[in-house]
Amino acid sequence: PLCSCLGCNGIWNMAKRIDYLFSINTGRSGSEYLGGILKHVVDCHAEHEPEPIGNGAVMRQYLRGEHGPMRELAQNKIKAIQQAKGDAQVYAETNHCFIKGFGWFLPELLPQEKIGVIILKRDEAKIAQSLLRVGCSPLVSGGRDWICTPEMALPLVQPPKRLGSTRAAYHLARAIKFPVRVLDFLVYKCCGKRLGYPKWLTNYELDCLAWYVQETHARAEVYKQTYPNITFVEVTIDDLNELESVEAMLSQFGLAGQATLKDVVGKPTNLKTD
């Protein structure tokens, strides 16, 4: 039964209490900050992107349609989760690789009714600009280890197209990005000035990153439809800056914050301003 107040230690619906909490989000959307908040939940062990993370080669293979390695990683992930959870009532993990791989296998290994998922959103343009600023681009190797790229199989949203082709545009942009990047670095080292990148290349990168955000949102909707017995709560990064909103989010999972929760809400992390 629902309680009409924040009594019972802040828990509104004990019947809905979950044991495993994950997040669906892109990079640069606040998942590390969310993970810090969840560390201040009663009887909860929370981590941000713990091993096995699920990024890199195994993620790229999964997104190309090769599911075997990711399925094996998901089984290892469960072992790591149970070990980390220990005697805690709840295990929470914020990891944007969840929706790009292992999250699709966890409901085969855990009861859906015991799983909660926070769908965390932030302004699309701000995410794209932030990813580009920190160098997490689909045109460089480091970026391809973490985000969806236009070469993935069966995207839910049409990737950016140039010259009538999606894949040709992507591979051409990748081929041009590397030598321009090296040249920019050499000019900076020699002259102290930035050569910069062609505007069309930067615009294409931003289009790819905006597409990545849209693809993630589309995958979140499919995930909700695929696993209807999981408890989903959608929030924005702005919601996480308000204590009342955070407490309301937690209550929908049957959880409550510790007294220290107020000390971390509204204090962002992982800004990467350099």
Side-chain angles (χ1 to χ4, degrees), residues 173-215:
R174 272 184 59 188
I176 293 174
K177 174 79 174 185
F178 179 74
V180 173
R181 190 181 188 191
V182 171
L183 185 59
D184 177 67
F185 175 77
L186 293 175
V187 170
Y188 177 72
K189 284 295 184 181
C190 293
C191 308
K193 297 181 179 180
R194 287 293 186 187
L195 182 65
Y197 297 92
K199 189 171 181 59
W200 69 265
L201 184 61
T202 300
N203 288 341
Y204 175 73
E205 282 184 284
L206 286 170
D207 286 347
C208 285
L209 292 168
W211 161 78
Y212 160 55
V213 178
Q214 296 162 12
E215 178 71 19

Side-chain angles (χ1 to χ4, degrees), residues 17 21 38-46 88-92 255-256 258:
R17 179 157 184 155
L21 184 59
L38 296 176
K39 290 180 184 293
H40 296 264
V41 168
V42 174
D43 205 7
C44 176
H45 176 89
Q89 172 66 39
V90 182
Y91 172 88
L255 306 176
Q258 301 173 9

